[in-house]
Amino acid sequence: MKTALLVINFGGPQRAEEVEPFLFELFRDHDVIPLPGGPWIQDAFARRLSRKRAPQTIAQYARIGGGSPLVPMTFLQVEALEARLVEKGHALEVAVGMRYTGPTIREALAQLKSRGIERLICLALYPHFSFATTGSSYNAVAQALAELDMAGLPVSFIPAWHHDPGYLNAQADRVREALEKVPEGLTPHVLFTAHGLPVSFIERGDPYQAQIQNTVRDLVRKLDWQGPYSLAYQSRVGPARWLSPATDEELERLGHTGTQSVVVVPVSFVGDHIETLYELDIDYRGVAERAGIAHYLRAGALDVHPEFIGALATQVEQAIAARTRPCVRCLLPKDEAYHAQSRCPDCQFKKPAYLGWRHVTPAAAPENAAIAEKP
């Protein structure tokens, strides 16, 4: 059976003129901003907001070199992954699809169709599952498969891999590298930071927060870290209630309580982009300095760390061999009878849309529009 691997990432503009189209695609995503009123309302909202946000976002990208490094780094990661899989005896047809910029998921699937594939494995480069990231990407896969007359193709979706030992080892290595740069005699506060999410998503069953908390617990244990640490969420905007504390507010708190050294660890990103290079390295560094924190360090992105690439290869190998598919939330293997049900009998997780259960996508609510306020 000719098996293909589709690797999916967020995408990002490479030049200033690509910023507004990128924002438009992001804001029109109903899984990210579930507005009532149908596609026409969603598109009108996206068009208005992308025009409004583009100048400020272009200025931010200008501060980090003019474009996002995420797309080229994704191709380097996939190149390393493909080489690792070949070493392990897996010669797959491999393609890359971006959610909001080119090459798109549909373009990648059309390319794979032309190669005569008979089975598809989907791997999203998000360690933690959320309706707004992995769920949105896999919904786009399902839609594109239908449009390309590929709906009958057997598909294995890899839901989340934050628990993979290789991923945790690579993340721990990056933290150690940052800790080694702390001036001697200082005990830093390790601040884990993840992309924020409106609380309404969590209330509707999104497992993202629990999986982030598990990652922090696992990393603290792996590092045998005895010093102070905390978890915060970045990129919070708008009037809706978001996961808390916010990263900038946590930095202010730490500074005002006398903390002199902070090591910031982004745990939900696997490559640098605007939220690490601008938000953490420029914006939040300024917050820390104004709060009196003398030493502000950030752990580096995973990029092509060998353990990280090994973790991705392990996930693909498991998907190739699997005769069962895991639940999105509890990640326990499930037989085919499970997939005929709308809920997981173990954790009661409602099936996401890409598995055919459209009604479980977070319901439309005005507060969810707040997620559109920042890319």
Side-chain angles (χ1 to χ4, degrees), residues 197-200 203 236 238-243 367:
L197 197 68
V199 172
S200 57
E203 291 173 343
R236 184 190 71 182
R241 193 161 55 100
W242 282 58
L243 294 176
E367 64 174 342

Side-chain angles (χ1 to χ4, degrees), residues 40-309:
W40 186 87
I41 296 295
Q42 190 89 32
D43 284 1
F45 168 81
R47 190 171 297 107
R48 177 178 60 84
L49 191 55
S50 60
R51 288 173 182 165
K52 176 183 176 183
R53 296 290 301 178
Q56 177 184 348
T57 306
I58 289 170
Q60 292 173 353
Y61 275 112
R63 297 284 300 277
I64 64 170
S68 173
L70 185 141
V71 173
M73 177 51 66
T74 298
F75 276 91
L76 291 176
Q77 291 168 330
V78 172
E79 181 181 341
L81 171 59
E82 187 172 10
R84 185 70 61 90
L85 289 169
V86 169
E87 289 174 5
K88 291 172 170 284
H90 304 291
L92 306 179
E93 298 289 336
V94 180
V96 176
M98 297 292 165
R99 185 65 186 94
Y100 303 114
T101 59
T104 67
I105 290 171
R106 193 182 192 282
E107 290 168 346
L109 286 172
Q111 182 185 66
L112 291 175
K113 181 180 181 181
S114 70
R115 301 181 196 172
I117 65 169
E118 300 169 282
R119 181 190 177 193
L120 178 66
I121 295 170
C122 293
L123 171 64
L125 292 184
Y126 308 115
H128 313 86
F129 180 95
S130 172
F131 289 123
T133 53
T134 310
S136 170
S137 297
Y138 289 169
N139 284 337
V141 170
Q143 179 179 346
L145 288 172
E147 293 172 354
L148 294 167
D149 197 25
M150 299 170 69
L153 190 74
V155 182
S156 297
F157 294 101
I158 299 173
W161 35 273
H162 59 91
H163 57 302
D164 189 286
Y167 162 70
L168 293 169
N169 288 340
Q171 193 72 265
D173 273 357
R174 294 301 192 223
V175 179
R176 292 189 191 98
E177 291 167 2
L179 290 172
E180 290 173 357
K181 299 175 184 177
V182 175
E184 189 174 352
L186 287 179
T187 299
H189 184 104
V190 176
L191 176 56
F192 297 96
T193 179
H195 195 288
L197 197 68
V199 172
S200 57
F201 277 59
I202 306 302
E203 291 173 343
R204 295 183 179 97
D206 197 304
Y208 176 78
Q209 182 183 27
Q211 292 181 0
I212 290 288
Q213 291 169 339
N214 288 341
T215 293
V216 171
R217 178 203 63 200
D218 292 342
L219 285 174
V220 169
R221 184 180 301 146
K222 184 171 288 292
L223 291 162
D224 192 25
W225 179 247
Q226 304 300 315
Y229 69 93
S230 58
L231 167 63
Y233 297 90
Q234 63 187 89
S235 309
R236 184 190 71 182
V237 290
R241 193 161 55 100
W242 282 58
L243 294 176
S244 61
T247 302
D248 54 347
E249 293 175 355
E250 179 68 355
L251 285 168
E252 290 175 346
R253 183 189 72 81
L254 292 173
H256 295 158
T257 55
T259 300
Q260 289 297 297
S261 178
V262 172
V263 171
V264 177
V265 181
V267 294
S268 55
F269 311 124
V270 301
D272 280 325
H273 58 307
I274 196 168
E275 281 157 339
T276 58
L277 298 176
Y278 179 82
E279 189 168 28
L280 291 181
D281 290 356
I282 297 176
D283 193 7
Y284 288 178
R285 180 182 296 277
V287 171
E289 290 173 351
R290 289 190 294 273
I293 297 172
H295 301 281
Y296 177 95
L297 297 165
R298 173 174 70 85
L302 297 182
D303 292 342
V304 290
H305 190 293
E307 291 252 36
F308 168 56
I309 300 302

Side-chain angles (χ1 to χ4, degrees), residues 279-343:
E279 189 168 28
L280 291 181
D281 290 356
I282 297 176
D283 193 7
Y284 288 178
R285 180 182 296 277
V287 171
E289 290 173 351
R290 289 190 294 273
I293 297 172
H295 301 281
Y296 177 95
L297 297 165
R298 173 174 70 85
L302 297 182
D303 292 342
V304 290
H305 190 293
E307 291 252 36
F308 168 56
I309 300 302
L312 298 181
T314 296
Q315 293 301 310
V316 175
E317 279 194 303
Q318 290 175 352
I320 291 172
R323 294 295 177 265
T324 58
R325 289 177 287 164
C327 167
V328 166
R329 175 184 283 163
C330 63
L331 301 180
L332 295 174
K334 305 295 179 181
D335 59 20
E336 287 304 312
Y338 155 84
H339 293 284
Q341 305 174 53
S342 63
R343 289 177 181 264

